[in-house]
Amino acid sequence: MFERILLPTDGTDSMDAVVETAADIAERRGAEVHVLYVIDDRAFLTLEEQMKTDVLTELEVEGEAATDRAAARLRDAGLEVTTAIREGDPADEILAYADVVGADLITMGTRRGDYAKNMMGSVSQEVVARSAVPVLTTNLVAEE
């Protein structure tokens, strides 16, 4: 049933739990995993062009580190892994990429905390609400 799993990551240490979950499912199903990092460009609207370029370069480096870290763990488990970095609204980009790669499962983290904030502003919540495929969320430990 699950042949292509999409794993969006933000690169934080707490994502390890999501990577482990995706690895477990992929190993059991013989699935390939697509690891995605989205640069949220909505924050760039007020930046000067040179500053935007500098910030974008820094975030691309962060994205490469984040996807490489997750991919290394998945490859160590003998899984087929593809990585990608996209720029845009995170929920929109996750859903669009899921369509592009034909993902039949999205695994992602969600942070515990203020219930109202999580319900109103969470990327995970938006993906769950709008996704055409199942979304498995894993609670992440809040980082100190």
Side-chain angles (χ1 to χ4, degrees):
M1 175 174 189
F2 300 127
E3 297 176 8
R4 283 173 299 287
I5 299 170
L6 174 57
L7 169 59
T9 183
D10 64 6
T12 58
D13 289 343
S14 59
M15 284 298 300
D16 290 348
V18 182
V19 174
E20 292 301 318
T21 299
D24 182 57
I25 295 167
E27 286 175 303
R28 293 171 190 255
R29 302 285 185 167
E32 62 188 63
V33 182
H34 294 264
V35 180
L36 175 66
Y37 182 90
V38 179
I39 297 169
D40 188 347
D41 68 356
R42 295 173 297 178
F44 295 166
L45 296 175
T46 60
L47 294 179
E48 294 177 18
E49 196 59 38
Q50 179 56 43
M51 186 176 278
K52 178 181 175 180
T53 302
D54 293 343
V55 171
L56 184 57
T57 299
E58 185 176 320
L59 291 173
E60 286 172 345
V61 169
E62 260 182 44
E64 288 176 19
T67 57
D68 288 350
R69 178 178 172 186
R73 161 59 186 98
L74 295 163
R75 287 185 181 118
D76 285 348
L79 298 169
E80 182 181 336
V81 182
T82 302
T83 63
I85 298 173
R86 294 184 74 156
E87 182 182 335
D89 175 273
D92 290 346
E93 292 300 322
I94 290 166
L95 293 167
Y97 191 77
D99 283 343
V100 167
V101 300
D104 44 26
L105 176 67
I106 301 172
T107 61
M108 56 192 311
T110 187
R111 287 186 169 72
R112 297 178 203 173
D114 179 21
Y115 178 78
K117 179 180 176 186
N118 283 342
M119 291 304 291
M120 298 305 289
S122 167
V123 171
S124 298
Q125 181 64 26
E126 189 170 347
V127 171
V128 167
R130 294 175 44 204
S131 180
V133 300
V135 180
L136 175 64
T137 60
T138 300
N139 286 327
L140 304 177
V141 177
E143 294 179 26
E144 299 298 322

